[in-house]
Amino acid sequence: MFKNIFGRIFAAWMLVMFALTMLVIFIPVWIISYTPEPRRTRGFLFFGRLWMKVYMPLIGCPVRKKGLEYFAPGQTYVVVCNHNSLIDVPVTSAEIPGVNKTLAKASLAKVPLFGVLYRIGGILVDRSSEASRKQSVVEMKNALSLGIHILLYPEGTRNRTDQPLKNFYDGAFALAIDTQTPLMPSLLFHTKKILPVGKKFFAWPHRIDYHFLPPLQTTGMTRDDIPAFKEKVFRLMWDYYESNNLK
């Protein structure tokens, strides 16, 4: 009983703090939105990282990182990550070093105020529109050419199962191969404990661990290699998750 009550109070605290801390950075980020890329995303991330440095400890969910040494200076990556919770996106965007963008659900860009930040930090896609999906690929390739890392969740949607991962889609692997960009696997731990599956308006404080794995080269690969490459990354991430899922 106590946990259910506290979990709902904590969920309210998370929402209120998210809104209040977002308002602090909203105006400078809105101004930055009128600058060209990659300056726009670099500026957004500067304020976004300050935001998360305050917000995450404030809600009792500090983030610990491992594997940052795998990011080589001057190298751009396609970063893939598991997806368990709504909190994954702000955590990953803030914690990936350098300038990065993620593929973002177009409908969320309509949310007042938050939608402005969402549009700047992401490449929007309407998955029900073939034209939108094709345009998002063009924009991701252009971002990579500007030295912007692309973060993708190959499971597509949040993993609501009790398994470490859901099956992967081809998109992230096709993008890395088409652009001959190294692909870096990464894994988030504990975000499902903060926002448990199946519980409405409930949250629980817990630290987050974000681990980066050694990048995999795509030089010389073609689209024929996608199935084997995807399976290799899936197995690497699954095994790493099972052996490093700390309490």
Side-chain angles (χ1 to χ4, degrees), residues 182-203:
L183 183 142
M184 182 177 291
S186 67
L187 285 154
L188 280 171
F189 297 91
H190 314 310
T191 58
K192 194 179 286 188
K193 294 177 182 176
I194 298 169
L195 296 172
V197 173
K199 286 196 173 186
K200 294 183 179 180
F201 204 74
F202 179 96

Side-chain angles (χ1 to χ4, degrees), residues 200-218:
K200 294 183 179 180
F201 204 74
F202 179 96
W204 197 260
H206 199 292
R207 82 166 190 278
I208 297 171
D209 290 283
Y210 191 18
H211 293 189
F212 300 97
L213 281 59
L216 303 171
Q217 299 300 319
T218 59

Side-chain angles (χ1 to χ4, degrees), residues 150-170:
I150 293 295
L151 165 69
L152 295 172
Y153 300 99
E155 294 166 292
T157 56
R158 282 173 283 160
N159 180 5
R160 299 176 181 274
T161 75
D162 59 357
Q163 298 300 307
L165 299 169
K166 293 196 308 178
N167 290 334
F168 287 174
Y169 288 95
D170 289 350

